[in-house]
Amino acid sequence: MKACVITTPGGPESLSLVDMPFSPTRPDDAVMRITASGVNRADILQREGRYPAPPGAPAWPGLEAAGTLLTAPASSPWSPGDRVCALLPGGGYAERVAVDASLLLPVPDGLTDVEAASLVEAACTVVSNLDEAGARPGETLLVHGGSGGVGTAAIQIAKARGMRVITTAGGPERTARCAELGADVALDHRADDWAQAVRDEGGADVILDVVGAAYLEANLRALRTGGRLVVIGMQKGARGELDLGTLLAKRARVIGTTLRARPLAERAAIVARVREEVWPLVPDRLRPIVHATLPLERAGDAHRLLESGEVFGKVVLTVA
Amino acid sequence: MKACVITTPGGPESLSLVDMPFSPTRPDDAVMRITASGVNRADILQREGRYPAPPGAPAWPGLEAAGTLLTAPASSPWSPGDRVCALLPGGGYAERVAVDASLLLPVPDGLTDVEAASLVEAACTVVSNLDEAGARPGETLLVHGGSGGVGTAAIQIAKARGMRVITTAGGPERTARCAELGADVALDHRADDWAQAVRDEGGADVILDVVGAAYLEANLRALRTGGRLVVIGMQKGARGELDLGTLLAKRARVIGTTLRARPLAERAAIVARVREEVWPLVPDRLRPIVHATLPLERAGDAHRLLESGEVFGKVVLTVA
């Protein structure tokens, strides 16, 4: 089969389409023929050598894919021919992938494979982190990077949960689009003192943050008493000063999470939560936002596009 | 009545016994005649002007007291003459205090008033923070300051909860006493690389920390995957560098809490939890550890003693 592998950790040029034997190692895995695979920022980190694939996972990137089942374990509710999408520990940048059946989801009615592939990782990230934070209806969620894949999903899922949503994005066009997706308040982080603006709005009960160190202090300022800051990315730095005085005074929490490194049972439980809570929202209340599709052999260009910061929503690779 | 007030924020000499009218502001409060009042590190911060009394609370220190009820609201299960102890928002350094009846506990059978007064704040701190952290039987708890008031209670309460307990204390005598209290592993923070020692023991699921910034990085290193660091004090600094990379990789949490500033209903719920979970352990499985008692008029000396670092357990003020 064809797979898009990392030849040497580095820039987008290090992604290279190669022919390789398809050799799944676990006989009980389902096997998918992939038609679409979402591109995530974690793929860029992996390409740069900063986010290695977990043991047992394919070495090439790709955390989500959609397509058709070629084989399914007899013990599973799935059958060959089923249209599915999957949360992958890696390996989505390829024609085929073997995956534990507990990580499969049906392609929601009315969605293309591209749209389904664009939603899996973001939906799992949002639901698992809102759960980690104990987010409740009526609470205020602050989503940084509202124009990203996770951000666009978070705005819509949190609104469907009955939360009030404040988001940040870069520039008036993006904030306008975030508002169209349902954000109650959309702040331009290039123009606004967003932390002060969030405080003026009464503060955030939960913050979903992909920025990391550069936002740590301002995030703490933006939290309400009892607030929870969930850090899921470190786009701007990994080490930041934490003001414990504020943390204690607000009785706040800083929570770090990742999805890929979790034990299979936890990932399967998250996929089940997505099927239960998020899939019924698709497509009326949760619209997949696909910015662009590129064929698998142009994965490097897909990374360049994501790195350009010009993407609203997701970039998806298509596999012929 | 006599009360030991802070004349000007500063050293122990700023505590001064004065006569003042007893004038409770809320007519539905119970009124206690105080016989004993525990001394806490927060009292020292308050004396220094760094931890002001919350609105509505007496301006003088004292977060816990024991004694006898002089009056009790008709709606409460308490009666005048009951031997009680109480979690106070302040005001324990006095002959009398008015307190919401939901913050009262009976003096446990077999305990003196001094012993009861020594336990209330520590028991509430330990139970509420183990709850905040979602501490489970079989998990490993790391308690810093195992020789302090909170530490000696935490070791015993966590053991009774079925946790494995690792603690740190200063010097071999103190670690030996912590082991006597039930700590499975007692580390001398003056001699040991405690973070490495905790890692060698498999890491901590929950850390109860009074040290703050100086331990932030080492605490993160000592945490297991999914671990929770609960910071309840800042004896060595309020601002420390947080390594978000480690936080995310371990899917860990940093939780800041305080007790005094919480809404009354939350404090009442904590007192109820203490009555349910902790009071049945007293005195067989939870021994009050009273290092010294001093009369109320020597509150300054009591603070000096606590500041000396030579205390094991609690210092309690007695009120004639």
Side-chain angles (χ1 to χ4, degrees):
Chain A
M1 68 165 182
K2 290 192 174 12
C4 192
V5 303
I6 300 162
T7 49
T8 310
E13 71 287 352
S14 51
L15 289 170
S16 187
L17 198 71
V18 300
D19 267 304
M20 60 165 63
F22 177 65
S23 52
T25 51
R26 303 190 320 159
D28 284 347
D29 276 351
V31 175
M32 276 175 74
R33 186 170 67 76
I34 295 175
T35 56
S37 184
V39 177
N40 289 281
R41 286 196 176 267
D43 305 347
I44 295 174
L45 294 178
Q46 183 173 347
R47 190 199 72 206
E48 295 171 337
R50 299 194 290 151
Y51 192 48
W60 50 97
L63 298 176
E64 57 190 341
T68 306
L69 279 184
L70 295 173
T71 68
S75 61
S76 84
W78 304 98
S79 308
D82 285 347
R83 277 184 73 209
V84 292
C85 47
L87 179 70
L88 302 173
Y93 287 22
E95 290 179 329
R96 290 184 192 185
V97 71
V99 57
D100 192 278
S102 65
L103 300 177
L104 295 173
L105 287 158
V107 172
D109 284 342
L111 252 55
T112 64
D113 285 9
V114 163
E115 290 170 327
S118 79
L119 272 185
V120 180
E121 161 79 16
C124 288
T125 297
V126 171
V127 164
S128 61
N129 285 298
L130 291 182
D131 286 354
E132 288 273 349
R136 294 182 293 272
E139 287 193 319
T140 296
L141 173 71
L142 170 61
V143 182
H144 290 302
S147 59
V150 169
T152 52
I155 291 167
Q156 299 179 80
I157 293 170
K159 285 308 297 177
R161 266 198 184 200
M163 301 186 78
R164 187 159 159 267
V165 176
I166 304 175
T167 193
T168 63
E173 239 178 85
R174 284 157 182 280
T175 56
R177 292 192 65 183
C178 290
E180 275 170 39
L181 286 176
D184 298 283
V185 179
L187 303 167
D188 179 357
H189 63 69
R190 295 175 190 162
D192 300 327
D193 176 351
W194 60 262
Q196 187 55 48
V198 172
R199 287 173 66 101
D200 293 344
E201 293 283 340
D205 298 293
V206 177
I207 300 178
L208 207 54
D209 176 57
V210 292
V211 176
Y215 274 13
L216 185 55
E217 177 143 18
N219 274 333
L220 266 196
R221 268 193 290 133
L223 277 185
R224 300 181 60 166
T225 297
R228 294 84 78 195
L229 165 62
V230 188
V231 182
I232 61 173
M234 298 177 289
Q235 290 178 18
K236 292 192 182 165
R239 302 180 75 89
E241 195 179 68
L242 180 65
D243 177 359
L244 292 170
T246 301
L247 193 80
L248 268 70
K250 292 193 175 181
R251 305 194 296 280
R253 306 179 166 218
V254 183
I255 303 171
T257 73
T258 57
L259 188 50
R260 186 165 69 160
R262 293 196 185 203
L264 174 62
E266 290 184 25
R267 282 177 285 133
I270 291 166
V271 167
R273 287 276 297 124
V274 164
R275 186 164 182 175
E276 168 195 71
E277 176 178 339
V278 180
W279 256 214
L281 305 174
V282 178
D284 291 342
R285 301 176 70 188
L286 172 56
R287 275 192 292 142
I289 312 288
V290 178
H291 179 90
T293 60
L294 287 93
L296 178 61
E297 58 269 28
R298 291 185 58 200
D301 288 334
H303 279 209
R304 284 182 193 98
L305 183 57
L306 193 54
E307 288 171 316
S308 74
E310 298 303 312
V311 173
F312 190 94
K314 293 281 289 194
V315 175
V316 179
L317 298 171
T318 54
V319 186
Chain B
M1 69 164 182
K2 290 191 173 17
C4 193
V5 303
I6 300 163
T7 49
T8 310
E13 71 286 353
S14 51
L15 290 170
S16 187
L17 197 72
V18 300
D19 267 303
M20 60 165 62
F22 177 65
S23 52
T25 53
R26 304 191 319 160
D28 284 347
D29 277 351
V31 174
M32 277 174 75
R33 186 172 66 77
I34 295 175
T35 56
S37 183
V39 178
N40 288 281
R41 285 197 175 266
D43 305 346
I44 295 174
L45 294 177
Q46 183 173 347
R47 190 199 71 207
E48 294 171 338
R50 298 195 288 151
Y51 192 48
W60 49 98
L63 298 175
E64 57 190 340
T68 307
L69 279 184
L70 294 174
T71 69
S75 60
S76 81
W78 304 97
S79 308
D82 285 347
R83 278 183 72 210
V84 293
C85 47
L87 179 71
L88 302 173
Y93 288 22
E95 290 179 328
R96 292 186 189 182
V97 72
V99 58
D100 192 278
S102 66
L103 301 176
L104 294 172
L105 287 158
V107 171
D109 283 342
L111 252 56
T112 63
D113 286 7
V114 163
E115 289 170 327
S118 79
L119 271 185
V120 179
E121 161 79 17
C124 289
T125 297
V126 171
V127 164
S128 61
N129 285 298
L130 292 181
D131 285 353
E132 288 274 349
R136 294 182 293 271
E139 287 194 318
T140 296
L141 173 71
L142 170 61
V143 182
H144 290 300
S147 60
V150 169
T152 52
I155 292 168
Q156 299 179 81
I157 293 170
K159 285 307 296 177
R161 265 198 184 199
M163 302 187 77
R164 187 159 159 268
V165 176
I166 304 175
T167 193
T168 62
E173 240 177 84
R174 284 157 182 280
T175 56
R177 292 193 65 183
C178 289
E180 275 169 38
L181 286 176
D184 298 283
V185 180
L187 303 166
D188 180 357
H189 63 70
R190 295 175 190 162
D192 300 328
D193 177 352
W194 59 262
Q196 186 56 48
V198 172
R199 287 173 67 100
D200 293 343
E201 292 284 340
D205 297 293
V206 177
I207 301 179
L208 207 54
D209 176 56
V210 291
V211 176
Y215 274 12
L216 186 55
E217 177 143 20
N219 275 333
L220 266 196
R221 269 193 289 134
L223 276 185
R224 300 181 61 166
T225 297
R228 292 86 77 195
L229 165 60
V230 187
V231 182
I232 60 172
M234 298 178 289
Q235 291 177 18
K236 292 191 182 166
R239 301 180 76 91
E241 196 179 69
L242 180 66
D243 177 359
L244 291 170
T246 302
L247 194 80
L248 268 70
K250 293 194 174 180
R251 305 194 296 282
R253 309 179 164 217
V254 183
I255 304 170
T257 74
T258 57
L259 187 50
R260 185 165 68 161
R262 293 196 186 203
L264 174 62
E266 291 184 24
R267 282 177 285 134
I270 291 166
V271 166
R273 287 275 298 126
V274 164
R275 187 165 181 174
E276 167 195 71
E277 176 178 338
V278 180
W279 256 214
L281 305 173
V282 178
D284 291 343
R285 301 176 71 189
L286 172 58
R287 275 192 293 139
I289 311 289
V290 177
H291 179 90
T293 60
L294 288 92
L296 178 61
E297 58 268 28
R298 291 186 57 201
D301 288 334
H303 279 210
R304 284 184 191 96
L305 183 57
L306 192 56
E307 288 172 315
S308 74
E310 297 304 311
V311 173
F312 190 94
K314 294 279 290 194
V315 175
V316 179
L317 299 171
T318 54
V319 185

